[in-house]
Amino acid sequence: AIVAQSDRRQQRGHVTIPSGKRLPPTSGSVADEIEEKYQQNQNKISKDPGVPPPGSQFEYLNHPADIVLHSWGNDFPSALVNLAISMFGYITSLESISINEKESLEHGGEVIAQGHNECSLVYAFLDEWLYNFHDTGFVAKVIRIIEFDTSLWRITSCGTGELIDLRRHPQGTEIKAITYSGMRIK
């Protein structure tokens, strides 16, 4: 099992625009219209972000300031994949994510992480996927390990999913960073 923590912060009462700047909503504005559509969307989707879909090989554990991602699998690479998927499931509902082949090739085609030991590799793997999300908005619903080299502590992976769209995807909790705090690999 792998347990990793991530720093979290709620993003309630703000509208995110493509430039990454957050603007407080103003009365009678486009922000009100976006918020109304967002609320309508929230009512249609049965699963909330931060709730693992049935059959998942991960869970979320509470922590006073962070969220703890806990995953497992048949082997280390499988547990890593489940860990990264759990991170995306905390950002938005995985059940609301579709597979868009074009966006998957463009934004999830190859993610490379390198460390110097097992813990640094877990950190780097999650950090690279989180950076990819923050840079592109791409949410991977499925991740596949292409290369796993323990002699170089290097992982090459790819993911399929789509770009996040708050009109269709419920907004969960923003994950700002990955931390080593409390990381355990069994």
Side-chain angles (χ1 to χ4, degrees):
I2 299 172
V3 179
Q5 285 181 271
S6 64
D7 191 13
R8 66 179 178 175
R9 183 185 80 207
Q10 292 289 350
Q11 284 193 34
R12 306 240 185 254
H14 289 83
V15 176
T16 302
I17 58 175
S19 67
K21 297 177 183 173
R22 288 178 197 83
L23 302 175
T26 57
S27 180
S29 68
V30 174
D32 287 337
E33 185 180 319
I34 292 171
E35 180 66 22
E36 183 179 329
K37 287 180 182 178
Y38 171 76
Q39 290 303 327
Q40 290 171 354
N41 183 49
Q42 291 293 89
N43 295 332
K44 292 178 189 174
I45 297 173
S46 61
K47 286 290 184 184
D48 291 326
V51 177
S56 300
Q57 292 188 310
F58 61 83
E59 63 184 347
Y60 305 108
L61 306 173
N62 287 324
H63 183 277
D66 298 325
I67 184 66
V68 177
L69 306 174
H70 176 223
S71 72
W72 54 93
N74 293 332
D75 54 18
F76 186 57
S78 299
L80 275 175
V81 164
N82 293 330
L83 193 62
I85 297 298
S86 74
M87 178 179 69
F88 288 118
Y90 208 73
I91 293 169
T92 191
S93 169
L94 291 172
E95 292 181 349
S96 70
I97 299 295
S98 299
I99 304 297
N100 180 312
E101 293 298 329
K102 182 181 177 206
E103 291 174 359
S104 295
L105 285 172
E106 187 176 343
H107 304 295
E110 185 176 73
V111 174
I112 300 170
Q114 186 152 5
H116 57 273
N117 61 25
E118 221 171 39
C119 286
S120 68
L121 187 61
V122 169
Y123 176 91
F125 182 69
L126 288 177
D127 195 51
E128 288 297 327
W129 276 107
L130 183 61
Y131 176 81
N132 189 57
F133 169 74
H134 282 268
D135 185 45
T136 66
F138 181 74
V139 176
K141 185 174 187 172
V142 177
I143 295 175
R144 190 170 56 89
I145 302 287
I146 299 169
E147 176 191 19
F148 185 76
D149 186 339
T150 55
S151 65
L152 297 174
W153 297 108
R154 180 182 164 106
I155 298 175
T156 304
S157 59
C158 64
T160 55
E162 66 179 329
L163 297 176
I164 195 163
D165 178 352
L166 294 180
R167 292 171 294 174
R168 296 184 297 114
H169 306 119
Q171 185 175 11
T173 302
E174 179 184 8
I175 299 178
K176 296 186 295 184
I178 307 303
T179 68
Y180 280 101
S181 176
M183 185 184 294
R184 292 189 310 265
I185 302 170
K186 296 180 186 179

